[in-house]
Amino acid sequence: MIARIPTATVYGIDGIKIDVEVDIAYGLPAFNIVGLPEASVKESKERVRSAIKNAGFEFPGDRITINLAPADVRKEGASFDLPIAVGILAAMGALKREVVEGHLIAGELSLDGSVKPVRGILPVALLTRQEGIGTIVVPVGNGREASVVRDITVLGADHLLEIFHYFKGEGDLVAFTGDGCGIDSALPCDDTDFSDIRDQGQAKRALEVAAAGAHNIIMVGPPGSGKTMLSRCLPTIMPALGYAEAVETTKIHSIAGLLGPDRALIAKRPFRSPHHSISDAGLIGGGHVPRPGEVSLAHNGVLFLDEFPEFRRHVLDALRQPLEDGAVTISRVNHAITFPARFMLVAAMNPCPCGHFGDPKRSCTCTATQIYRYRSRISGPLLDRIDIHIEVPPVTIAELSRERPEEPSAAIRERVSKARAIQLDRFNGRNIHANAQMSARVIRKHCPLDTPTRQLLEAAVDKWVLSPRAYHRILKVSRTIADLDASTDIAEAHVAEAIRYRALDKRLTI
């Protein structure tokens, strides 16, 4: 007798429907799983056998064959335990097959039959709705996460026996309705706020421009000047996540196993700050079974790289593709997986190895050669991909103790949201969400300059020998500054401000 149980596996950030086909036939006792199973799936045989026995059932002494169809898709993870166990019970005749087959089932089993949470339930729940399957059965620990998906019934179970009694019509499972999984209250309410930062008006303005156009930014300043605090405040002035953005961000964290049992939906823009010792696979993603890296975990949020030159050169250069494409493609011999990676890069660095070059109160102990080598750790092509370069000067004790009201994040966020709304209207119908994503063709269309403004920009390009990419970056930033002013045209003042945000291009000589 053959039973078929729908389940799913995760490929990249999306779910793929898998049919667990169970056949129990007369013959020598055997338990085989076919259909490109990884080691974790093959090991499910022992977990399923023990769970069924410890739940009070007699495990079949016949030949059991499990086929995971389609057979050309590689399966990994422990989420196949539960559908395999339910399929065996249905093939034994303990459950009616037509009742079981109308549910998509996923979950890991303990040896005693209890059901444990698994990674990647949100993409599986989205697939359930896409396939027109009305009900998904998951571990109770994954119930709130799955309930983020609308228009499906989410049922949670703690034990294999609960599922058995449910399908027999003798009991109910925990139903998750999705209440409290909205993002209406997603506006930032963190401990960090721009009103807590004293002075640093230029840096705050640059971060406002960066948030308004989703521009990458690098800050150069001595230790203690506030670069890290400014960076941590950046998400508080960015527009709130929409539902589609929140679901996409949550999918990535779900696959990475970073969602706790009480966390259903990521309602705030992520802020990731990896240590400079991170490997390229940790930053970009990879592994035998490719997993998302920090650039994908920062999707729709901020990736903060402190001590920027201390990162290994090949790790930094690996950032070029995601900065340009907004995605990371990890290729293997027989498959390739693409993870989204549309983030704002915020980098921070000292002006020199000792950190005091240009400080009026502390003398720098570095030689010109040391400073040159320090800055050369960041390649020119990577710097070209960072739209805004600013210097963050040290703040004196007098400025820190001055009782002067500073503008709160909420007021800045309101201006940023208005500028983003202008951009969404401008790029309506295109796969562009902010000015930073404009291509050269789009720049020519939406960033026209009058003669005096163009002459100003050309003079700056000639003086500092800027690359064509840097030229386009200045135009993008100028467009954002004009949007913050609600100006249709890019004025000379907008371009002049954008030119000031290329500090590292102007200080190539020491």
Side-chain angles (χ1 to χ4, degrees):
M1 184 179 293
I2 297 179
R4 291 182 177 85
I5 309 297
T7 186
T9 188
V10 177
Y11 186 84
I13 65 168
D14 299 315
I16 298 179
K17 184 173 179 290
I18 302 295
D19 287 323
V20 177
E21 301 175 345
V22 182
D23 176 57
I24 301 179
Y26 293 113
L28 294 174
F31 192 173
N32 298 314
I33 299 179
V34 298
L36 280 183
E38 289 283 350
S40 58
V41 182
K42 294 177 182 179
E43 292 171 352
S44 68
K45 293 186 292 185
E46 303 307 322
R47 293 192 295 270
V48 169
R49 189 195 307 272
S50 297
I52 290 178
K53 287 183 177 180
N54 292 323
F57 301 98
E58 183 178 352
F59 193 81
D62 300 313
R63 186 177 186 84
I64 303 174
T65 303
I66 310 293
N67 179 42
L68 307 178
D72 60 344
V73 176
R74 189 171 297 278
K75 293 89 180 175
E76 64 94 17
S79 62
F80 293 95
D81 292 3
L82 193 55
I84 289 175
V86 173
I88 290 175
L89 294 176
M92 291 167 51
L95 296 174
K96 292 183 179 180
R97 289 177 294 166
E98 58 272 15
V99 175
V100 176
E101 291 174 1
H103 300 69
L104 191 144
I105 304 174
E108 180 183 348
L109 284 172
S110 291
L111 298 183
D112 62 355
S114 59
V115 183
K116 302 173 65 175
V118 294
R119 296 186 298 184
I121 279 295
L122 182 54
V124 173
L126 290 167
L127 176 73
T128 303
R129 182 179 63 183
Q130 178 183 332
E131 293 289 332
I133 304 173
T135 305
I136 180 173
V137 180
V138 299
V140 167
N142 291 126
R144 293 193 69 243
E145 178 186 342
S147 67
V148 169
V149 182
R150 300 162 181 170
D151 304 323
I152 64 171
T153 301
V154 179
L155 302 177
D158 268 327
H159 199 278
L160 181 60
L161 275 177
E162 294 180 7
I163 299 175
F164 174 79
H165 291 309
Y166 166 75
F167 284 125
K168 294 287 286 187
E170 301 170 354
D172 293 322
L173 298 177
V174 181
F176 293 86
T177 60
D179 295 339
C181 294
I183 55 174
D184 296 335
S185 59
L187 292 179
C189 54
D190 304 278
D191 294 334
T192 56
D193 191 276
F194 264 69
S195 61
D196 300 326
I197 302 175
R198 300 300 177 190
D199 206 42
Q200 299 294 12
Q202 180 182 354
K204 290 181 180 179
R205 169 63 177 177
L207 287 173
E208 178 182 345
V209 173
H215 300 289
N216 304 314
I217 181 172
I218 182 170
M219 295 181 286
V220 184
S225 58
K227 302 186 294 297
T228 300
M229 189 173 183
L230 285 163
S231 302
R232 293 192 178 277
C233 287
L234 179 58
T236 67
I237 66 172
M238 296 173 69
L241 280 175
Y243 176 75
E245 286 181 313
V247 169
E248 189 176 33
T249 304
T250 307
K251 283 169 64 177
I252 301 172
H253 286 71
S254 173
I255 294 165
L258 298 179
L259 286 180
D262 298 327
R263 195 176 189 187
L265 189 69
I266 293 179
K268 299 177 182 178
R269 296 193 179 273
F271 181 89
R272 304 294 298 182
S273 179
H275 191 261
H276 58 75
S277 62
I278 192 171
S279 65
D280 51 354
L283 185 65
I284 305 300
H288 173 64
V289 178
R291 296 292 183 192
E294 290 291 336
V295 295
S296 296
L297 294 172
H299 182 61
N300 290 324
V302 174
L303 176 66
F304 175 52
L305 301 183
D306 200 5
E307 303 295 342
F308 200 43
E310 301 299 333
F311 286 79
R312 281 170 282 188
R313 180 69 174 264
H314 71 278
V315 173
L316 291 181
D317 287 341
L319 284 170
R320 295 188 196 178
Q321 184 208 352
L323 286 176
E324 286 290 331
D325 302 337
V328 171
T329 300
I330 301 172
S331 299
R332 293 295 181 263
V333 174
N334 55 358
H335 66 282
I337 292 179
T338 298
F339 293 112
R342 191 175 61 247
F343 58 91
M344 279 183 59
L345 172 65
V346 180
M349 61 178 287
N350 296 327
C352 65
C354 77
H356 303 304
F357 180 77
D359 192 330
K361 295 187 177 181
R362 295 186 180 182
S363 59
C364 176
T365 60
C366 305
T367 65
T369 302
Q370 288 175 327
I371 298 175
Y372 176 79
R373 287 177 178 173
Y374 179 75
R375 296 181 181 178
S376 298
R377 295 178 187 177
I378 306 171
S379 66
L382 179 58
L383 274 180
D384 272 351
R385 287 170 169 82
I386 300 178
D387 302 353
I388 298 176
H389 311 165
I390 60 167
E391 294 179 338
V392 182
V395 181
T396 64
I397 299 300
E399 292 168 339
L400 285 175
S401 59
R402 184 183 306 163
E403 291 296 333
R404 183 181 63 184
E406 299 284 349
E407 190 174 27
S409 294
I412 303 175
R413 184 172 60 248
E414 184 176 353
R415 295 196 298 268
V416 168
S417 298
K418 289 180 180 178
R420 285 286 187 100
I422 293 173
Q423 295 165 45
L424 289 175
D425 182 64
R426 175 186 300 129
F427 304 126
N428 187 26
R430 294 175 177 265
N431 189 26
I432 301 177
H433 307 281
N435 288 334
Q437 300 167 8
M438 289 191 293
S439 64
R441 177 179 294 182
V442 178
I443 290 174
R444 285 194 296 270
K445 179 179 179 180
H446 294 291
C447 301
L449 304 178
D450 57 26
T451 301
T453 306
R454 187 176 63 255
Q455 290 175 347
L456 172 65
L457 179 54
E458 290 174 353
V461 170
D462 291 339
K463 182 176 181 180
W464 290 299
V465 196
L466 301 180
S467 68
R469 183 180 283 118
Y471 170 81
H472 285 136
R473 301 285 171 180
I474 294 175
L475 286 176
K476 291 179 184 180
V477 175
S478 301
R479 179 70 271 173
T480 299
I481 297 171
D483 291 340
L484 283 170
D485 289 344
S487 173
T488 305
D489 300 324
I490 299 176
E492 195 170 350
H494 301 146
V495 172
E497 182 178 353
I499 292 173
R500 291 202 304 269
Y501 296 146
R502 301 297 299 186
L504 292 181
D505 290 330
K506 304 171 191 176
R507 295 186 58 182
L508 291 178
T509 58
I510 302 172

